[in-house]
Amino acid sequence: MLLGRGEHFFKGVDGVSEAMPGYANGNTEDPTYKEVYTDTTGFAETVRVRYHPERVSLRLLTRLFFTVTDPLTLNRQGHDEGTRYRSGVFYTSEEDRPVIEEVFREVSDKLGVPLVTQLEPLKNFYPAEEYHQNYLDKNPEGYCHLSFKTFRYLRLYQDVKLFLGDETDLIARMANMSALIAERMRFFWTGFYRVAGDQLVLGPFQGPAACQRIGFGKGVCGSAWKERRTLVVPDVEQFPGHIACSSLSKSEIVVPVIGPGDEVIAVLDIDSTEYATFDSTDAAWLELLAEVLCQG
């Protein structure tokens, strides 16, 4: 967790009551930013998050943490380098550790490699100087490694959860989710294909007319279904067996929707008219949205 937009990001999470930038787990007392900057104090630049567990869970907060930090890059975030920029989660209660560990395992399993992100008890924390507090409010053009796309997805995610509410009809939830994603993110095509036997059948969508049925393991959508994983395709023409529903589509991302029985019940398919539109940020947030779909 970082200064600047790290603070700004968590301040925007519904249920978070405080996001305070500061310095954690170092070996001196009451350090200044200039001292921390030397990388000799052992401190990490950190955001202390206080939250209401009845509104936002520790599990979700930990998952959101992994949408704004790189768990495979040691001592660096964006262009910032040094041990002070190491990624880590520092917990205040041993009861929290199993929840956080579970998310760590899920992220590691998905990436297929061990994470460099630290998981340690909080030893000490000192608030950053006043000029670092509410940094982006004071410096709207201030630098941080987080993209504005991340903030758009956070707002979208929270609005989708609120809008879908306790509606139990899956088709209705698909319809409104595809509409909200298309409205907020302005993608060329956004929609769902539902699993029906050995085929995917076109469901609610936003965009031009599309393929009505796709076979298991066929094209990007059928492959994401078969492999049970998100597929990010920078150039659809380079994907083996690509099914061209529209010649305007240049890049694509497909996210499997896992139902309550741990079976793929649908895929969320999004296309762009530009090459290489989608990345790991899109994948992380769209996977979260796919989970929301099944929570009604």
Side-chain angles (χ1 to χ4, degrees), residues 51-294:
Y51 63 100
H52 301 287
E54 70 277 8
R55 292 173 58 190
V56 60
S57 68
L58 176 62
R59 174 179 170 78
L60 178 57
L61 286 173
T62 307
R63 292 194 64 186
L64 292 178
F65 167 77
F66 281 112
T67 71
V68 296
T69 189
D70 184 351
L72 303 182
T73 303
L74 185 65
N75 299 332
R76 188 176 80 235
Q77 296 298 325
H79 299 301
D80 298 320
E81 295 188 50
T83 58
R84 64 194 179 279
Y85 295 117
R86 65 188 184 274
S87 64
V89 176
F90 310 123
Y91 57 90
T92 58
S93 170
E94 280 297 326
E95 294 179 356
D96 291 341
R97 185 179 180 102
V99 177
I100 302 170
E101 283 182 329
E102 181 181 9
V103 177
F104 269 59
R105 284 193 299 270
E106 290 173 358
V107 174
S108 180
D109 290 346
K110 177 184 173 183
L111 296 174
V113 292
L115 308 183
V116 300
T117 302
Q118 293 181 331
L119 175 57
E120 299 178 350
L122 181 67
K123 295 184 291 188
N124 51 24
F125 174 84
Y126 297 94
E129 293 85 342
E130 177 58 32
Y131 67 90
H132 278 306
Q133 306 295 329
N134 302 308
Y135 183 78
L136 280 189
D137 293 334
K138 300 172 182 174
N139 304 274
E141 301 302 319
Y143 162 75
C144 190
H145 78 290
L146 299 185
S147 67
F148 286 106
K149 179 166 67 173
T150 296
F151 293 94
R152 290 172 66 196
Y153 268 121
L154 174 61
R155 180 65 181 271
L156 169 65
Y157 174 78
Q158 296 185 147
D159 286 351
V160 165
K161 289 186 67 175
L162 182 64
F163 198 91
L164 269 56
D166 57 2
E167 171 59 56
T168 59
D169 187 273
L170 186 61
I171 300 299
R173 294 176 72 84
M174 286 181 176
N176 272 329
M177 183 177 289
S178 60
L180 286 167
I181 294 173
E183 175 189 339
R184 300 295 179 81
M185 305 307 291
R186 303 295 182 184
F187 295 130
F188 170 64
W189 197 94
T190 300
F192 292 91
Y193 281 90
R194 301 176 294 110
V195 172
D198 61 352
Q199 292 184 317
L200 292 170
V201 178
L202 183 64
F205 70 92
Q206 296 283 316
C211 302
Q212 296 184 117
R213 292 178 180 266
I214 299 174
F216 180 72
K218 304 298 183 181
V220 183
C221 289
S223 297
W225 173 21
K226 179 180 179 180
E227 298 174 24
R228 293 174 58 92
R229 66 183 181 94
T230 299
L231 295 182
V232 178
V233 183
D235 181 351
V236 294
E237 295 298 332
Q238 301 303 313
F239 188 88
H242 167 62
I243 299 172
C245 296
S246 171
S247 61
L248 296 177
S249 176
K250 303 301 181 185
S251 60
E252 186 173 4
I253 183 170
V254 179
V255 179
V257 179
I258 310 298
D262 197 38
E263 296 292 332
V264 178
I265 62 171
V267 298
L268 169 59
D269 179 22
I270 300 179
D271 292 57
S272 170
T273 56
E274 303 292 332
Y275 292 107
T277 294
F278 308 103
D279 56 22
S280 59
T281 296
D282 298 279
W285 283 103
L286 293 172
E287 287 167 2
L288 283 168
L289 285 165
E291 291 181 15
V292 170
L293 184 71
C294 297

Side-chain angles (χ1 to χ4, degrees), residues 1-4 7 19-25 31-33 36 43-49 84 90 122 124-129 132-133:
M1 300 182 186
L2 305 171
L3 295 173
E7 171 202 14
M20 174 176 286
Y23 317 117
N25 283 26
T32 65
Y33 176 74
V36 172
F43 281 98
E45 295 191 6
T46 309
V47 175
R48 183 178 70 188
V49 176
R84 64 194 179 279
F90 310 123
L122 181 67
N124 51 24
F125 174 84
Y126 297 94
E129 293 85 342
H132 278 306
Q133 306 295 329

